[in-house]
């Protein structure tokens, strides 16, 4: 019975970490989108209000958000594993 409880606890921990990761990714992508709104794309692009310019903003938001979220998730994982060392 003890072995089953251990695996259940591990699965619950993994599920919680996955939900936290998804929330962090969505939050960071949203923050990246919000911060890119301050950037003046009209200086660089021919049609800054066109579909291609909006798609560029979406892709930049996803890329930047993924980088930032990856940093925070990795930092969270490392800091949580630190407590298991001591």
């Amino acid at each position: 019975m003890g072995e089953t409880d251990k695996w259940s606890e591990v699965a619950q921990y993994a599920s919680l970490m996955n939900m936290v990761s998804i929330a962090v990714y969505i939050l960071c992508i949203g923050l990246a989108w919000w911060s890119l709104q301050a950037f003046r794309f009209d200086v660089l692009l021919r049609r800054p209000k066109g579909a291609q310019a909006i798609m560029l903003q979406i892709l930049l938001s996803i890329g930047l958000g993924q980088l930032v979220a990856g940093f925070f998730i990795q930092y969270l994982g490392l800091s949580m594993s630190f407590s298991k060392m001591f």
Side-chain angles (χ1 to χ4, degrees):
M1 197 63 141
E3 187 73 24
T4 305
D5 290 340
K6 186 175 182 176
W7 284 112
S8 176
E9 186 178 322
V10 170
Q12 186 177 9
Y13 175 77
S15 297
L16 179 65
M17 287 304 294
N18 285 338
M19 289 189 327
V20 168
S21 295
I22 289 171
V24 169
Y25 274 111
I26 291 172
L27 178 71
C28 288
I29 290 171
L31 286 173
W33 173 263
W34 175 71
S35 64
L36 282 175
Q37 299 305 305
F39 189 76
R40 291 192 54 197
F41 284 101
D42 58 338
V43 176
L44 300 173
L45 304 173
R46 277 185 288 195
R47 289 178 283 158
K49 299 293 183 187
Q52 291 173 325
I54 293 171
M55 180 57 75
L56 177 63
Q57 285 182 331
I58 291 170
L59 293 175
L60 287 173
S61 297
I62 292 170
L64 184 61
Q66 193 271 337
L67 287 172
V68 173
F71 169 78
F72 283 118
I73 290 169
Q74 187 175 12
Y75 182 81
L76 177 67
L78 290 172
S79 65
M80 290 180 74
S81 67
F82 231 7
S83 66
K84 294 181 173 92
M85 288 176 57
F86 301 106

